[in-house]
Amino acid sequence: AAPLLLALVLLILFLRRQIRRAALKHRFRLKDRRRAVQNLYEYLFDLLRTMYRWPNCVSTSGFEPTVRADLGDDMAAKYHRAIEICSRAAFSEGEIAESDYRFVYNFVQKTRALARKRLPLPKRWKL
């Protein structure tokens, strides 16, 4: 009975994770690119707070020097561009170009992959 119960618990945890990932994927791929970029920004901020262990950080601008020191000038420049696009999505009424959306989406995916390599398993599981 105990192995069956353990298998059931693991199955439930796996299904919860899959549902969460599907919901995230849906939020990132909305046809409304402004809203999709805003969702990506929110996820990126949570990723960076988790990766750099800054739970009380309230602004993405605080991460740029850390990204530069940790990942180099190229990644810091990409981070800066991604944050500019995200700010435009949040604070202007204009459309977000598909190329800008793709840039932010790819940057977030690269950051997620990096976080998955660095974080311990329990934190990786939540990404």
Side-chain angles (χ1 to χ4, degrees):
L4 185 59
L5 184 60
L6 178 61
L8 183 61
V9 168
L10 290 175
L11 178 63
I12 290 170
L13 289 174
F14 175 77
L15 290 174
R16 273 186 56 200
R17 180 175 185 242
Q18 293 304 99
I19 291 168
R20 183 179 179 278
R21 289 184 75 190
L24 271 176
K25 197 178 278 193
H26 174 73
R27 290 180 61 215
F28 296 163
R29 295 183 178 168
L30 295 174
K31 288 185 184 195
D32 178 352
R33 293 309 198 200
R34 280 186 62 242
R35 190 67 199 137
V37 167
Q38 290 169 357
N39 293 336
L40 285 161
Y41 169 81
E42 180 182 320
Y43 184 71
L44 176 63
F45 187 61
D46 287 342
L47 272 176
L48 292 172
R49 285 181 20 178
T50 302
M51 195 164 82
Y52 292 119
R53 294 177 182 87
W54 287 11
N56 298 324
C57 184
V58 295
S59 169
T60 53
S61 63
F63 287 113
E64 192 166 343
T66 303
V67 169
R68 183 175 310 284
D70 184 32
L71 304 173
D73 290 339
D74 182 57
M75 198 65 167
K78 289 177 181 174
Y79 174 79
H80 185 79
R81 180 173 174 214
I83 295 305
E84 283 181 342
I85 295 167
C86 292
S87 294
R88 210 168 355 116
F91 301 114
S92 79
E93 294 298 318
E95 292 292 316
I96 296 297
E98 186 66 20
S99 60
D100 286 342
Y101 160 77
R102 287 271 168 224
F103 182 86
V104 173
Y105 181 85
N106 290 332
F107 183 81
V108 169
Q109 294 307 312
K110 287 177 187 175
T111 305
R112 181 178 178 268
L114 180 64
R116 288 182 58 81
K117 288 180 186 176
R118 290 184 172 189
L119 293 171
L121 185 60
K123 289 192 179 194
R124 258 187 291 170
W125 183 260
K126 294 178 182 180
L127 297 180

